[in-house]
């Protein structure tokens, strides 16, 4: 049994500490918005925030984040998150949508650190998130739009 | 031609004639007859469920008393926007408010067949094309019944009733769809359905709609097969054979079963599955298996040997796919003859959601949950395996995290794998088969490896007078239930698009179909992925040999192809074709018709001093007839460019003694945001019937980029993927 702080609530999960956070979230906390894409930190589909930092949950042992604040797509609520999700919806960013939880979590983390990212900043912050549907132009546009909303 | 004046029957006739759908349909019928299996399911007795007296005027619309309009989608949403597209068609004719519209997936049932084929299938970029009239009629019929209900309720003439944004009104009366649902259900179905004229459209052709799946796909609630959790469900992770065709000789399960959470290990002959309570335990169990494989019958070739084999075949005459005039003779009289050979690797679909499916066998019934592209085929295949009538195989279609053709497997490969596991386990609980990325990457069903040899002749004025193209590769339909699509040794999907639409007086297209143990499948835009490249790169080379501008050379040869010429011109004009570019920059153009849509693309590249390069800008012109959702058309063109560019720059599955060498995104790299060019999309205004957009954006990008690189370097690129340095 491990106690985790997920989306502001404390949760007891019957998992071993070496299980990747991704699978603890998906199969035990039943928070399936965080996706599996590669399992080796190559695609970013599994991105969540731990103490506000974007991390790849597929290679993060769940034991290493006990006691830390874990935020998933289901619980992300900051002003930046709201602006990002709004921009994503208005610009119809998602196609298959499978990568988008990870994209959004990366984008929110970017904007929380850097409210006015340049294209190069976006390339750097989002370079670890693959979108097989290649929605990249709209991801970029949505980040700029969210930055504008945030003023 | 005005698209709105066609009757449904005329519509279907005119739509299907030119499409691959018809061919597919005809031969599929034979398969059905042979299998004698797929008797169309009778409309279920509970077709109009008593549930809260929802109004269900037909199989595609349901209006609930709570005012929700539910559109039942017969097509899989895998990113291409079809849920939004079908909803647009219905909501427009129904005059629903977009905010009240929801979409749910249809069950597997012949009422939901693709009208271009006698089966339920999403593919060949046919979804909007085959549904255009059917969905509009469904919406219009529902509206007529709502109006009929209001007329009874208010005792006013039907003709005086207005419907706007989900509200039915007359003078001082007003009611929502929800309020009229009960009464509308008692109205007779209208005999004459009056459709709108285009000037009355409120959503069709407009850019004012949010995708119906935008919200769920941005807050984590969208449900993919991967996300399903059912009571008592077990997760299966499999150890696949190291080579295609190998079978299990021996398996030592002791270490696997010792892992906490592992429930059972199941040998399904060509794989071993570990069932556990969650994915991680199942995967650890899988990794702990010690399996001895019998590889005596497996495929053992390496990619280099395969190339040699194909090159040998290329020197021999193949089966004739197309012959016009006498190319041999014309070549002997040509002033200039050019030859070129092109090599195309196997490609994995690599959808972001690795393949998976959930199966439950219980009391002799079978229920499947899957992002399903081909329900009828899957029903037949599963029915055969289980000895159950296919129509009793229940399929729940869920969103797919990409597919690009992979989830429309004619052998139902991963679904059958899940069913076999469930069958042997006899547990009667839902079993979720989850492939890891590595499993997905190495499972085969690739875009086939192809080799093309081309030869063409120009006369003394630089006129293209002869074209020979010999295509070598595996057939996608061979040994599947669609094998009948191949006639006289020609699988049309191997050669489609060869030679393009160019006016060439003497043409020979030949095909060698190889039989290799690597499973192959359609991959977004199918044959055009390679024929488009060979044709468009060779045309470019011929233009240069003829001392003509590549755009002008194409335009001259397309004088009688107004739609190809139209997109060619539009793309060239918008890209500023002919205006100078500074430094080591270049433009390339390509134009391809696929799935009855016409797409031209102009790519701009910059080559750095070290030979590396960037693709900076792509201008797309598309003619897909009437554009139902221009926003989705943009997304599909742009996405198609990115998908095709990914393959052009680095997509490659190779084999070493039969083993797939790639395994995950570090060695099968996918285009990333910093590599994505700026994409501009220009849609030809058209009143022609709508055609597909899911695939046609893909074929022109690789040749456009290769041609742009050639414009800078003067070299030609005959092998895909393109080199990292030019
Ligand atoms: S699943 Fe974690 S980075 Fe791909
Ligand atoms: S939207 Fe499909 S992978 Fe990004």
């Amino acid at each position: 049994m491990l106690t985790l702080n997920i989306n502001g609530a404390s949760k007891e999960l019957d998992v071993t500490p070496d299980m990747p956070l991704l699978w603890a979230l998906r199969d035990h906390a039943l928070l399936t918005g965080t996706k599996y894409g590669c399992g080796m930190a190559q695609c970013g589909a599994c991105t969540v925030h731990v103490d506000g930092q974007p991390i790849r949950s597929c290679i993060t042992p769940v034991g290493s984040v006990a006691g830390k604040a874990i935020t998933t797509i289901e619980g992300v609520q900051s002003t930046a998150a709201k602006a990002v999700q709004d921009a994503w919806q208005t610009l119809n960013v998602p196609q298959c949508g499978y990568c988008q939880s990870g994209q959004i979590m990366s984008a929110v983390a970017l904007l929380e650190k850097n409210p006015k990212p340049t294209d190069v900043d976006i390339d750097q912050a989002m370079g670890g998130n693959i979108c097989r549907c290649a929605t990249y132009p709209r991801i970029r546009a949505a980040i700029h739009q969210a930055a504008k909303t945030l003023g | 031609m005005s698209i709105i004046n066609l009757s449904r029957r005329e519509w279907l006739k005119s739509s299907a004639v030119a499409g691959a759908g018809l061919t597919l349909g005809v031969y599929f019928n034979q398969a059905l007859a042979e299998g004698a299996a797929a008797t169309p399911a009778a409309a279920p007795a509970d077709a109009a469920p008593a549930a809260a007296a929802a109004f269900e005027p037909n199989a595609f619309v349901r209006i609930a008393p709570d005012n929700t309009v539910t559109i039942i989608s017969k097509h899989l949403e895998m990113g291409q926007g079809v849920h939004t597209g079908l909803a647009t068609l219905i909501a427009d004719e129904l005059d629903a408010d977009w905010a009240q519209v929801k979409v749910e997936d249809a069950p597997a049932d012949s009422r939901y067949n693709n009208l271009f084929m006698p089966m339920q299938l999403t593919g060949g970029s046919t979804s909007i094309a085959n549904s255009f009239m059917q969905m509009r009629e469904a919406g219009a019929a529902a509206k007529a019944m709502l109006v009929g209900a209001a007329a009874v309720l208010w005792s006013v003439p039907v003709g005086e009733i207005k419907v706007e944004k989900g509200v039915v009104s007359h003078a001082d009366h007003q009611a929502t769809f929800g309020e009229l649902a009960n009464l509308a259900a008692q109205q007779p179905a209208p005999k004459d359905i009056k459709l709108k004229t285009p000037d009355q459209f409120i959503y069709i052709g407009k850019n004012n709609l949010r995708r119906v799946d935008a919200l769920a796909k941005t807050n984590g609630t969208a449900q993919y097969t991967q996300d399903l959790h059912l009571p008592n469900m077990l997760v299966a992770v499999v150890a696949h054979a190291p080579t295609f065709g190998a079978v299990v000789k021996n398996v030592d399960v002791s270490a696997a079963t010792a892992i906490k959470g592992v429930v059972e290990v199941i040998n399904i002959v060509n794989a071993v599955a570990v069932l556990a309570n969650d994915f991680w335990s199942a995967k650890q169990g899988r990794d702990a298996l010690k399996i001895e494989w019998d590889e005596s019958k497996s495929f053992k070739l390496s990619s280099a040997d395969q190339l040699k084999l194909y090159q040998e075949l290329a020197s021999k005459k193949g089966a004739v796919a197309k012959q016009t005039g006498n190319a041999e003779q014309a070549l002997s009289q040509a002033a200039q003859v050019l030859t070129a050979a092109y090599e195309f690797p196997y490609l994995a679909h690599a959808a972001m959601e690795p393949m998976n499916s959930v199966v439950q066998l219980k009391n002799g019934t079978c229920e499947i949950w899957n992002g399903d592209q081909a329900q009828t085929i899957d029903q037949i295949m599963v029915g055969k395996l289980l000895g159950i009538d296919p129509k009793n195989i229940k399929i729940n279609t869920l969103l797919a995290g990409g597919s690009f053709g992979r989830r429309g497997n004619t052998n139902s490969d991963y679904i059958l794998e899940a069913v076999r596991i469930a069958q042997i386990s006899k547990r009667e609980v839902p079993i979720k088969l989850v492939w890891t990325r590595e499993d997905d990457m190495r499972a085969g069903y690739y875009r086939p490896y192809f080799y093309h040899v081309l030869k063409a002749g120009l006369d003394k004025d630089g006129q293209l007078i002869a074209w020979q193209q010999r295509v070598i590769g595996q057939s996608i339909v061979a040994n599947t239930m669609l094998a009948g699509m191949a006639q006289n040794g020609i699988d049309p999907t191997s050669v489609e698009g060869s030679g393009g639409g160019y006016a060439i007086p003497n043409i020979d297209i030949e095909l060698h179909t190889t039989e290799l143990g690597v499973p192959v499948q359609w991959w977004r835009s199918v044959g055009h992925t390679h024929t488009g490249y060979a044709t468009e790169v060779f045309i470019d080379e011929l233009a240069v040999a003829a001392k003509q501008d590549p755009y002008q050379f194409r335009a001259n040869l397309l004088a009688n192809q107004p739609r190809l010429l139209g997109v060619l011109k539009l793309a060239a004009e918008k890209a500023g074709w002919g205006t100078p570019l500074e430094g080591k920059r270049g433009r390339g153009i390509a134009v391809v018709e696929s799935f009855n849509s016409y797409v031209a693309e102009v790519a701009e590249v910059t080559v750095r001093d070290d030979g590396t390069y960037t693709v900076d800008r792509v201008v797309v012109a598309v003619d897909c007839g009437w554009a139902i959702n221009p926003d989705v058309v943009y997304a599909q063109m742009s996405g198609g460019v990115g998908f095709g560019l990914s393959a052009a720059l680095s997509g490659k599955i190779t084999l070493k003694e039969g083993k797939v060498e790639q395994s995950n995104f570090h060695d099968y790299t996918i285009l990333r945001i910093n590599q994505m060019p700026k994409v501009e999309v220009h849609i030809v205004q058209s009143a022609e019937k709508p055609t597909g957009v899911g695939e046609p954006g893909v074929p022109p990008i690789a040749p456009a980029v290769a041609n742009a690189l050639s414009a800078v370097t003067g070299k030609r690129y005959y092998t895909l993927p393109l080199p990292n340095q030019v």
Side-chain angles (χ1 to χ4, degrees):
Chain A
M1 279 289 174
L2 260 176
T3 307
L4 293 185
N5 175 351
I6 308 172
N7 297 329
S10 164
K11 274 204 177 162
E12 288 245 311
L13 300 181
D14 182 14
V15 295
T16 51
D18 62 329
M19 180 185 285
L21 172 60
L22 171 65
W23 297 106
L25 289 171
R26 291 184 52 82
D27 282 354
H28 293 268
L30 301 186
L31 292 169
T32 53
T34 306
K35 298 296 192 242
Y36 164 73
C38 70
M40 59 181 292
Q42 287 289 318
C43 76
C46 65
T47 307
V48 300
H49 296 176
V50 171
D51 289 341
Q53 295 301 311
I55 58 116
R56 309 296 185 222
S57 65
C58 68
I59 53 153
T60 305
V62 63
S64 72
V65 294
K68 299 188 180 170
I70 301 158
T71 310
T72 70
I73 185 74
E74 290 90 348
V76 70
Q77 271 173 354
S78 62
T79 337
K82 183 98 194 42
V84 165
Q85 283 168 318
D86 276 355
W88 244 250
Q89 289 154 16
T90 329
L91 297 184
N92 280 336
V93 175
Q95 288 187 26
C96 84
Y98 193 82
C99 74
Q100 299 296 347
S101 299
Q103 305 280 2
I104 287 170
M105 295 309 281
S106 291
V108 171
L110 165 66
L111 287 170
E112 279 171 352
K113 229 177 11 208
N114 177 355
K116 283 276 166 282
T118 63
D119 280 338
V120 175
D121 297 337
I122 291 174
D123 282 349
Q124 267 162 14
M126 305 301 292
N129 288 82
I130 291 175
C131 176
R132 186 62 170 140
C133 304
T135 62
Y136 301 123
R138 285 188 172 176
I139 288 175
R140 188 184 299 283
I143 292 175
H144 285 309
Q145 179 167 315
K148 223 194 230 157
T149 322
L150 292 167
Chain B
M1 177 186 67
S2 169
I3 51 165
I4 47 127
N5 294 331
L6 293 177
S7 72
R8 165 100 74 90
R9 187 174 312 145
E10 289 165 338
W11 162 262
L12 277 176
K13 232 165 76 192
S14 72
S15 300
V17 161
L22 187 69
T23 344
L24 194 57
V26 168
Y27 299 112
F28 189 70
N29 271 335
Q30 295 172 354
L32 291 188
E34 282 158 23
T39 357
D46 60 351
F55 165 45
E56 265 188 271
N58 49 59
F60 302 101
V61 196
R62 187 171 66 235
I63 298 173
D66 73 358
N67 208 26
T68 318
V69 173
T70 303
I71 308 296
I72 294 99
S73 172
K74 62 178 190 168
H75 289 297
L76 169 70
E77 176 60 68
M78 48 187 158
Q80 83 283 37
V82 74
H83 276 186
T84 302
L86 299 181
T88 302
L89 297 171
I90 292 180
D92 197 316
E93 291 288 352
L94 179 60
D95 277 309
D97 184 10
W98 190 245
Q100 73 187 139
V101 172
K102 293 203 167 35
V103 177
E104 102 189 4
D105 284 291
D109 186 304
S110 59
R111 290 179 301 166
Y112 298 106
N113 278 0
N114 186 320
L115 296 180
F116 291 175
M117 331 166 175
M119 60 182 136
Q120 194 172 347
L121 183 142
T122 306
S125 297
T126 58
S127 297
I128 289 295
N130 92 88
S131 310
F132 180 61
M133 296 298 264
Q134 187 183 31
M135 294 308 132
R136 289 175 60 203
E137 285 173 5
K143 177 165 126 179
M145 291 165 79
L146 288 163
V147 168
V152 171
L153 189 64
W154 303 329
S155 308
V156 299
V158 161
E160 291 175 11
I161 292 173
K162 264 192 2 196
V163 184
E164 217 175 326
K165 290 264 169 98
V167 177
V168 185
S169 63
H170 178 270
D172 342 305
H173 301 289
Q174 176 164 316
T176 64
F177 287 180
E179 287 161 353
L180 291 169
N182 267 319
L183 206 50
Q186 293 153 34
Q187 288 292 307
K191 284 203 193 69
D192 280 327
I193 297 174
K194 214 169 143 255
L195 296 178
K196 287 183 177 179
T197 52
D199 56 302
Q200 296 171 316
F201 288 155
I202 51 171
Y203 301 132
I204 296 173
K206 309 273 191 283
N207 248 336
N208 54 359
L209 297 180
R210 186 168 291 191
R211 281 180 67 122
V212 290
D213 49 1
L215 183 64
K217 287 177 176 177
T218 49
N219 65 13
T221 58
Q223 278 278 311
Y224 303 84
T225 307
Q226 189 85 262
D227 302 331
L228 209 63
H229 281 281
L230 297 169
N232 304 317
M233 189 179 83
L234 294 175
V235 176
V237 175
V238 283
H240 282 145
T243 46
F244 299 111
V247 291
V248 178
K249 198 194 253 171
N250 227 315
V251 54
D252 173 357
V253 304
S254 51
T257 47
I259 286 166
K260 182 174 171 253
V262 169
V263 173
E264 188 179 5
V265 178
I266 289 168
N267 180 349
I268 57 166
V269 184
N270 62 349
V272 180
V274 175
L275 296 183
N277 293 318
D278 61 17
F279 170 85
W280 189 245
S281 314
K283 179 173 179 294
Q284 284 188 308
R286 189 275 305 264
D287 294 347
L289 290 170
K290 292 188 192 71
I291 307 171
E292 214 184 312
W293 297 94
D294 173 0
E295 296 187 76
S296 57
K297 294 211 177 66
S298 62
F299 179 77
K300 285 288 183 48
L301 227 53
S302 296
S303 294
D305 309 329
Q306 191 173 347
L307 174 61
K308 265 190 228 124
L309 192 82
Y310 280 36
Q311 281 170 332
E312 266 168 49
L313 280 171
S315 65
K316 298 180 196 128
K317 206 168 161 39
V320 177
K322 180 179 177 185
Q323 197 160 40
T324 315
N326 188 333
E328 205 60 58
Q329 197 183 5
L331 280 169
S332 70
Q333 292 159 0
Q336 265 193 90
V337 174
L338 273 72
T339 58
Y342 299 87
E343 190 194 350
F344 304 93
Y346 286 116
L347 291 173
H349 301 75
M352 278 311 282
E353 180 186 17
M355 294 305 106
N356 46 28
S357 89
V358 180
V359 169
Q360 182 169 25
L361 303 182
K362 198 176 164 187
N363 303 329
T365 65
C366 174
E367 183 164 6
I368 295 171
W369 292 260
N370 181 43
D372 210 303
Q373 241 190 292
Q375 290 87 348
T376 309
I377 291 177
D378 293 333
Q379 282 182 308
I380 294 174
M381 295 301 290
V382 173
K384 233 187 232 174
L385 177 71
L386 296 175
I388 297 181
D389 187 341
K391 69 171 187 283
N392 293 332
I393 308 287
K394 185 173 177 198
I395 299 181
N396 307 283
T397 297
L398 285 92
L399 293 172
S403 172
F404 316 112
R406 185 64 182 85
R407 287 181 176 274
N409 185 288
T410 43
N411 291 323
S412 307
D413 68 321
Y414 65 93
I415 297 175
L416 285 188
E417 186 170 284
V419 173
R420 280 209 303 275
I421 294 166
Q423 192 183 24
I424 295 173
S425 95
K426 299 201 173 68
R427 280 179 185 272
E428 303 215 324
V429 298
I431 292 175
K432 172 155 75 172
L433 170 69
V434 178
W435 279 5
T436 62
R437 173 59 56 198
E438 290 81 2
D439 299 333
D440 186 89
M441 189 80 68
R442 294 186 153 162
Y445 291 104
Y446 304 126
R447 192 287 302 274
Y449 176 101
F450 267 94
Y451 190 72
H452 289 229
V453 176
L454 280 84
K455 196 171 187 182
L458 298 163
D459 70 9
K460 60 178 186 350
D461 305 320
Q463 275 293 326
L464 180 54
I465 54 168
W467 180 282
Q468 281 186 327
Q469 186 163 1
R470 202 165 274 169
V471 179
I472 299 114
Q474 290 167 262
S475 162
I476 291 167
V477 301
N479 307 315
T480 74
M481 77 173 83
L482 302 179
M485 271 176 79
Q487 296 282 294
N488 306 316
I490 305 295
D491 173 351
T493 72
S494 296
V495 294
E496 59 186 358
S498 295
Y502 298 110
I504 310 167
N506 303 288
I507 303 178
D508 260 345
I509 312 286
E510 291 172 22
L511 175 67
H512 285 287
T513 300
T514 56
E515 294 227 20
L516 298 174
V518 183
V520 294
Q521 202 184 332
W522 15 69
W523 186 98
R524 197 176 186 179
S525 80
V526 198
H528 302 281
T529 57
H530 50 99
T531 62
Y533 187 85
T535 301
E536 285 300 296
V537 169
F538 200 45
I539 277 283
D540 222 67
E541 189 169 351
L542 286 160
V544 173
K547 303 200 164 44
Q548 291 182 38
D549 173 80
Y551 158 73
Q552 201 53 55
F553 187 71
R554 285 179 174 83
N556 293 342
L557 292 168
L558 293 174
N560 296 321
Q561 296 276 2
R563 297 182 77 180
L564 278 170
L565 187 60
V567 291
L568 183 77
K569 277 189 169 156
L570 183 60
E573 178 200 315
K574 298 289 182 186
W577 187 266
T579 59
L581 287 170
E582 273 163 41
K584 286 168 80 173
R585 303 187 60 214
R587 275 189 204 101
I589 193 165
V591 59
V592 178
E593 178 198 348
S594 61
F595 310 97
N596 305 321
S597 289
Y598 306 80
V599 181
E601 290 171 14
V602 175
E604 269 177 37
V605 300
T606 303
V607 178
R608 302 189 192 95
D609 288 337
D610 64 357
T612 59
Y613 54 91
T614 54
V615 182
D616 308 318
R617 177 186 179 216
V618 176
V619 177
V620 182
V622 51
D623 177 351
C624 55
W626 199 288
I628 305 305
N629 301 98
D631 181 80
V632 174
V633 176
Y634 169 84
Q636 284 311 296
M637 289 301 124
S638 175
V641 163
F643 190 85
L645 189 56
S646 196
L649 297 181
S650 66
K652 189 179 190 177
I653 290 286
T654 54
L655 300 158
K656 190 157 184 215
E657 288 165 12
K659 285 194 175 63
V660 177
E661 293 187 285
Q662 293 70 24
S663 62
N664 205 317
F665 294 136
H666 64 295
D667 52 12
Y668 188 84
T669 54
I670 305 293
L671 192 87
R672 290 178 187 268
I673 192 167
N674 63 313
Q675 297 171 291
M676 183 74 190
K678 289 204 163 57
V679 182
E680 292 163 38
V681 178
H682 303 277
I683 303 172
V684 172
Q685 291 296 318
S686 170
E688 297 282 340
K689 54 189 181 274
T691 52
V693 294
E695 298 171 273
V698 176
I701 187 60
V705 168
N707 292 338
L709 292 171
S710 298
V712 179
T713 66
K715 293 186 249 173
R716 286 287 163 188
Y717 305 97
Y718 299 109
T719 303
L720 284 181
L722 296 164
N724 294 330
Q725 282 166 290
V726 292

